[in-house]
Amino acid sequence: MTTNPVHEDGHDDRDGHETHQGYGAADATPLVGYAVLAGVFTAGIGTFTAVARRRGVRLPDRVPPWDVALLGTATYKMSRVLTRAKITSFVRAPFTRRAGQGEAAEVMDEPRGSGVQRAVGDLVACPFCTAAWVMGALVCGYAVAPRATRLASAGLGALTVSDFLHYAWTWTQQSTEG
């Protein structure tokens, strides 16, 4: 009888080294891919910070609550557009496969592949995950070009209000028709 030399904790009896297979031998979580993405995000924020500091960008002393609400609404909407809109499928296609139709005009994609491809698929198929990246971009924009970022965020906010109005209209029609 042959035993698996890799223990559930990732320890490999053959050479005494960790195998880094994730949380266990059967787990397919792409931890290395996640680490790569976390490194890219951190490097991007770090690079932005260094360049902004070198160019003398002054950060705002405070961020008014209405700007936080505006940036939050814009983050919500942009993350939905990137992860659920049919029109942005070309961004997700190398990393995901179509899993089905969502509500309204949204689509549901699921990650595919392994390693970094799977990690990116997890990111671009999840509006909550993508929101952190969108927020990072919007906050960086807000630091260097607050007026332009507010304008773009206002547009995304208006799109969010429009979505709610579409849902309200549809609900009203369905309620009155039966």
Side-chain angles (χ1 to χ4, degrees):
M1 179 173 158
T2 306
T3 60
N4 184 354
V6 179
H7 296 264
E8 285 188 34
D9 66 355
H11 183 266
D12 186 337
D13 285 339
R14 293 174 293 195
D15 59 10
H17 291 80
E18 300 272 331
T19 60
H20 302 290
Q21 293 181 352
Y23 292 107
D27 184 45
T29 303
L31 295 178
V32 172
Y34 291 166
V36 168
L37 290 176
V40 168
F41 184 86
T42 303
I45 297 296
T47 300
F48 168 81
T49 302
V51 169
R53 179 170 283 189
R54 186 170 298 136
R55 292 189 177 179
V57 172
R58 290 183 32 98
L59 298 179
D61 292 328
R62 65 182 191 82
V63 178
W66 50 84
D67 280 353
V68 173
L70 185 62
L71 290 168
T73 304
T75 297
Y76 161 79
K77 188 58 190 174
M78 182 53 76
S79 68
R80 297 297 296 190
V81 168
L82 291 171
T83 62
R84 298 285 190 251
K86 289 177 187 175
I87 194 71
T88 55
S89 294
F90 72 95
V91 174
R92 299 185 304 274
F95 312 101
T96 63
R97 71 173 76 49
R98 185 61 39 89
Q101 185 69 29
E103 293 296 317
E106 291 188 333
V107 295
M108 304 300 291
D109 290 341
E110 62 184 23
R112 65 181 167 102
S114 61
V116 174
Q117 180 189 25
R118 172 62 183 254
V120 174
D122 284 340
L123 173 65
V124 299
C126 171
F128 295 94
C129 305
T130 301
W133 290 68
V134 171
M135 173 279 309
L138 287 173
V139 167
C140 289
Y142 187 83
V144 297
R147 291 179 65 187
T149 303
R150 278 190 206 102
L151 181 60
S153 295
L156 289 164
L159 190 55
T160 303
V161 170
S162 173
D163 287 350
F164 282 110
L165 292 172
H166 283 294
Y167 282 119
W169 180 256
T170 301
W171 179 81
T172 302
Q173 283 181 314
Q174 290 171 350
S175 296
T176 60
E177 291 173 0

